[in-house]
Amino acid sequence: MEHNPLAQKFTPSSILRFALPNMVMMVFMSLYTIVDGMFISRFEGELALSAINMFYPVTCLQYGIGIMLGTGGSAVIALKMGQGRSQEAKEDFTAITAVSLVIGVLSMVFGLLYLPPLLRLLGTSPAQMADCYIYARVLLWFSPMLFLQMLFQILFVTSGKPGLGLRLTVLGGLANIVLDYLLMGPLAIGIAGAAIATGIGYSVTAVAGLVYFGFYQKGTLHFVRFRLCLRTLLRVSANGSSEMVSNVATAVTTFLFNIIFMRYWAENGVAAITILSYFQFVFSAVFLGFSMGIAPIVSYKYGAGDEEQLKRIVRLGLLFVSACSLGVFLLSHLTIRWSLAIFTDAGSPVYTLAMEGFGIYSLQFLFMGISIFSSGLFTAFNNGVVSALISMSRTFLFLVGSLLLLPYFWGEAGVWFAVPVAEFLGLLVSASFLLWGRNKYQYG
């Protein structure tokens, strides 16, 4: 195991270097949705932008399952590598990849079969239906690639190749941007072009991962003959359940946001919250990418019993996400006006509505970092229960409660306050579990 990059003694700078590729990867992943939104808004209009957001809950569910298998699998695999059980780690890795591919195919098939009633269930209005159906139908064909991309992005880091994962993700993101412009601009394919561009972006990392892990036999991880172990699969799912819960909650809350904003402000409201949610995508991607980037290190060091390294990693992580929380809050306010202008003209109803709500909505950026990091930390310790409780509280319990209660008391202002209130309450829960776990896991 002396050749495993996770076995090194990590310093603050080497920890950040190790996590940086995953942070950039997650930011680029968030750009898939944002770039689609930008080109759709400009080429097809704000109604089309609101239409694609109606399908986003389904995409969140797919992301959730993919991240669950990736982060849960990473924790199990890295722990076994830290314990010197490298062959078992490879077998688990291969099995998880196979399961991801099967789930991706099933997601594609069932989505295509039941798409019209699904879109109606999501609250898609008659004005949005045509664009939403076209976009969703094309994107569903790429579901297997989405699942593999999510998995390989995480497990490239676990295999000690974060740089390779970064390059592939950047390449996929650039392909998405270029194809968005070509397909929706000169070729005038319309909203289907945005879905095709996104699907091809998914495919870059997915196909490259299959080739790399299938043919490069000298790496820390590669495909081997395996026997599907239900117990291991359940353990992987339990470890990654917090990330699954987080994305399921995002799907549910996106659905609620769409319904509530449609009630108060019609399609313009859905377009406004769609644009503002792009800030949340990018900034949460930074925190999630950092947490996922250092998770294999935490799992490895925990498996190896290296308490000194655990303390250093956790302390640096808390310091980093705290500083980033303040940084992204300030950055969001410095860039909000020109960022909105990318999607919609200044002074338009959508622009005005987004500006009115952003001052309240942006308060969430001060609180979310610690919660995301805490959830990822307990996943790395193979404690999926605590990780899921943290995610469930901030992204589901508190947010759904805030969305249902605050508008009743405060009207429109209550809609905007829902997310910051939920994130603040989630921060309190995360801090409680961090204090509880410091002696149990020896990072205090």
Side-chain angles (χ1 to χ4, degrees), residues 20 29 38 129 158-159 161 173 263 305 345 355 360 393 417:
L20 182 62
M29 267 299 298
M38 180 181 70
M129 183 60 75
T158 311
S159 68
K161 296 292 182 179
R263 180 190 304 163
D345 296 330
M355 283 300 301
I360 300 173
S393 63
F417 267 112

Side-chain angles (χ1 to χ4, degrees), residues 360-382:
I360 300 173
Y361 185 80
S362 63
L363 293 173
Q364 65 174 303
F365 304 140
L366 294 171
F367 312 129
M368 66 164 60
I370 295 293
S371 297
I372 293 174
F373 174 77
S374 301
S375 178
L377 180 67
F378 285 105
T379 296
F381 285 132
N382 279 250

Side-chain angles (χ1 to χ4, degrees), residues 258-317:
N258 288 339
I259 297 299
I260 292 172
F261 273 79
M262 187 78 75
R263 180 190 304 163
Y264 279 100
W265 299 287
E267 284 83 4
N268 284 340
V270 177
I273 192 59
T274 299
I275 296 171
L276 292 187
S277 66
Y278 291 155
F279 280 87
Q280 186 183 44
F281 293 166
V282 172
F283 295 146
S284 62
V286 172
F287 298 125
L288 183 60
F290 176 76
S291 302
M292 292 164 58
I294 69 169
I297 306 174
V298 172
S299 297
Y300 187 96
K301 299 302 182 183
Y302 180 56
D306 193 339
E307 295 179 7
E308 179 183 352
Q309 283 277 283
L310 277 178
K311 292 178 181 179
R312 175 175 292 183
I313 294 165
V314 174
R315 288 172 182 171
L316 176 67

